[in-house]
Amino acid sequence: MRKQILLWLCLMLTVPSLAGCWSSRELTNIAFVIAVGIDKSEDNRYLLTMQIMNPRNSASMQQVSSSKGSPVNVYTGHGNTIVEAAREAMQHISRELYFSHANLVVIGEDLAREGVLEIFDRLERSPQFRRTSFVVIAKDMRATDLLKILTPIDQIPANKIIKTIKFSESLWGEAIKKDVKEAIDELSSSGKQLTLTGFSIEGNKRNGRNATDMEETFVPSRIISDKIGVFNNDRLIEWIGGETARGFLWTQNRIKSTIVNFDWANHKEAVSYRVVRSKTGTKAELSNGRPSVTVSVKVEGNIGETHVPLDLWDPAELVKLQEAIRKEIRKEILKSVEFAKEKKVDIFGFGEYFYSDHPKYWKKVKKEWNQKIFPELEVNVRVDAYIRRSDLRTKPYFYRMKGGE
């Protein structure tokens, strides 16, 4: 009997805490912000751009109806702080701004070169804003101009940018996805500098803002992934692309699949190697007070294309090809290391490895790591490359025509 009474008392005490509607909001009174752009205006105030979902048009476009209109609308506000700019923008909107669905932050290049510390302070402090939102840089332009461009396949432009980051990183290797939390961690780390992917507009930058532009087979303006921005402390200092960017991503264990072209038989980029999996490990070592880092990469892939006669049944030929692939990947990694040393920015996070593996040494050198230690750091790169398949042929059809036996 006592147990039953105690159980009922516990249930009665929990009832007041189950009132779940105290903070309810009507959907018709909420404006869902899906992307945020931050710039500095000419009067040195913040220019906040918000890409807001237009529920009626976005839903109808996804259902391929005859309704016309933009799936998103863009609103802007000015202020001495980001909060003030958001409040100023609310004067033009008939609904309450709701940032919990914002999954993208775009920073204008000019502001990124001035410094981004204050921006991330606000993003981290806000209880509404998600720290899992992706962060990119509007390369050679303002964030507000990038967010005004519509996209043809992914109806929501913010989703297009996010998908492009993911696919460019995993399938090509010249972009790096980074969310707010990761960016803050790198900004607050003394052993790794911040890097963010840049996006720009290809084509006519004045077009692409109207829904009618999306009705063409070849849209006049396209949002594209465009290099990786390198920061020194909180300021953007340089852009890297091509082999340098991919060499950097090799060290970060972010390459899942890419294409590596290499020279063969006196022909430039004669063979294409399609990476299907890779794994990178980094080890920090200290010998007699001298630091060094070893980056080990293991790559597996297939021969995707050849412009010269190859016989992949020949074990000797296979070994030579694997050695050529190994040299090409190693060259890309060393190229990125050379760039970082020249700029005195440890974008690889080598300092963090010394922090975890050799804490006493790191405590002595962390203040002078980027300026003195890192530029002279010995970096060893070891690559193991394996050819697993040649797709549907072991010899190209022109093998005999070009000198094969």
Side-chain angles (χ1 to χ4, degrees):
M1 189 67 178
R2 289 182 178 179
K3 291 182 178 180
Q4 292 180 352
I5 294 173
L6 287 172
L7 179 61
W8 278 105
L9 285 173
C10 291
L11 290 174
M12 293 297 291
L13 289 172
T14 57
V15 168
S17 64
L18 299 179
C21 297
W22 65 274
S23 62
S24 64
R25 302 174 185 176
E26 295 294 333
L27 289 177
T28 54
N29 295 328
I30 294 176
F32 290 98
V33 180
I34 56 177
V36 173
I38 308 173
D39 296 291
K40 272 292 185 70
S41 58
E42 295 179 357
D43 57 358
N44 203 33
R45 294 196 302 164
Y46 283 108
L47 169 61
L48 184 68
T49 304
M50 291 163 291
Q51 194 176 91
I52 297 177
M53 175 81 74
N54 190 335
R56 181 177 60 85
N57 287 339
S58 60
S60 63
M61 291 183 77
Q62 289 174 359
Q63 296 169 7
V64 198
S65 79
S66 59
S67 175
K68 293 184 178 181
S70 173
V72 296
N73 294 113
V74 173
Y75 292 87
T76 60
H78 293 78
N80 294 317
T81 63
I82 297 176
V83 177
E84 183 182 356
R87 295 286 181 177
E88 197 268 347
M90 291 180 67
Q91 300 180 48
H92 310 284
I93 306 172
S94 60
R95 300 186 180 191
E96 179 185 356
L97 294 175
Y98 192 73
F99 289 90
S100 293
H101 286 275
N103 52 13
L104 178 68
V105 178
V106 182
I107 303 173
E109 180 170 342
D110 290 342
L111 178 56
R113 291 189 181 276
E114 288 184 19
V116 296
L117 277 180
E118 296 178 0
I119 297 173
F120 285 103
D121 173 77
R122 175 55 192 162
L123 296 178
E124 183 183 36
R125 193 179 300 274
S126 173
Q128 266 197 15
F129 209 89
R130 296 186 302 177
R131 291 193 294 172
T132 55
S133 301
F134 288 94
V135 187
V136 300
I137 304 294
K139 184 175 179 292
D140 299 325
M141 63 192 316
R142 299 186 305 169
T144 186
D145 296 325
L146 186 70
L147 289 179
K148 291 176 182 176
I149 300 295
L150 296 174
T151 52
I153 298 177
D154 293 290
Q155 303 297 338
I156 308 300
N159 292 343
K160 191 273 182 189
I161 293 176
I162 291 170
K163 289 181 180 179
T164 302
I165 298 174
K166 293 179 178 179
F167 285 117
S168 294
E169 181 188 84
S170 61
L171 300 179
W172 189 241
E174 293 185 16
I176 185 167
K177 59 185 180 189
K178 201 75 63 74
D179 60 30
V180 171
K181 182 182 180 302
E182 290 175 305
I184 291 174
D185 288 343
E186 291 185 2
L187 282 171
S188 58
S189 172
S190 56
K192 187 175 185 179
Q193 297 291 339
L194 176 65
T195 52
L196 294 174
T197 298
F199 274 80
S200 62
I201 299 174
E202 184 180 64
N204 191 333
K205 297 182 180 180
R206 296 182 179 180
N207 294 336
R209 301 183 181 186
N210 300 316
T212 54
D213 293 331
M214 300 300 104
E215 298 176 3
E216 301 181 17
T217 57
F218 187 79
V219 294
S221 301
R222 297 164 297 282
I223 298 176
I224 61 170
S225 172
D226 193 2
K227 300 186 177 181
I228 296 176
V230 176
F231 286 70
N232 187 353
N233 295 323
D234 73 319
R235 297 187 176 187
L236 176 68
I237 61 168
E238 191 62 84
W239 294 98
I240 58 173
E243 292 182 351
T244 305
R246 188 163 63 179
F248 163 61
L249 263 69
W250 283 115
T251 68
Q252 303 301 291
N253 195 30
R254 288 181 179 257
I255 300 289
K256 304 303 178 186
S257 176
T258 189
I259 300 297
V260 178
N261 297 327
F262 57 94
D263 302 341
W264 190 258
N266 298 321
H267 290 77
K268 290 288 185 181
E269 299 189 354
V271 183
S272 178
Y273 176 72
R274 181 166 56 88
V275 176
V276 296
R277 65 179 61 89
S278 72
K279 184 176 182 180
T280 302
T282 304
K283 184 179 181 181
E285 299 172 319
L286 196 63
S287 178
N288 297 323
R290 183 177 177 83
S292 64
V293 168
T294 300
V295 179
S296 301
V297 182
K298 182 180 179 180
V299 183
E300 298 179 29
N302 308 329
I303 297 297
E305 184 177 344
T306 67
H307 296 169
V308 291
L310 290 174
D311 183 6
L312 296 180
W313 278 111
D314 185 355
E317 188 102 324
L318 200 64
V319 170
K320 291 179 181 178
L321 284 168
Q322 291 178 159
E323 178 64 17
I325 297 167
R326 185 192 72 81
K327 289 182 178 180
E328 182 64 27
I329 295 174
R330 186 173 183 273
K331 182 188 74 173
E332 292 183 1
I333 296 174
L334 291 176
K335 190 173 182 178
S336 67
V337 171
E338 182 182 351
F339 162 82
K341 284 186 173 183
E342 180 182 347
K343 298 296 181 179
K344 298 183 179 180
V345 285
D346 181 6
I347 58 177
F348 310 100
F350 292 154
E352 292 186 340
Y353 288 99
F354 282 99
Y355 167 75
S356 59
D357 297 342
H358 306 280
K360 291 183 179 179
Y361 170 77
W362 176 250
K363 188 176 181 180
K364 294 179 182 178
V365 303
K366 66 177 182 179
K367 292 184 179 180
E368 56 182 12
W369 175 255
N370 282 291
Q371 294 298 317
K372 294 183 179 180
I373 308 299
F374 173 70
E376 302 297 328
L377 180 67
E378 179 184 349
V379 180
N380 303 305
V381 179
R382 299 173 182 172
V383 180
D384 293 320
Y386 301 95
I387 298 174
R388 297 306 187 194
R389 298 175 184 82
S390 59
D391 287 343
L392 298 181
R393 296 190 66 90
T394 56
K395 297 180 182 179
Y397 72 91
F398 52 79
Y399 182 74
R400 293 182 181 276
M401 296 169 58
K402 291 192 175 183
E405 297 180 358

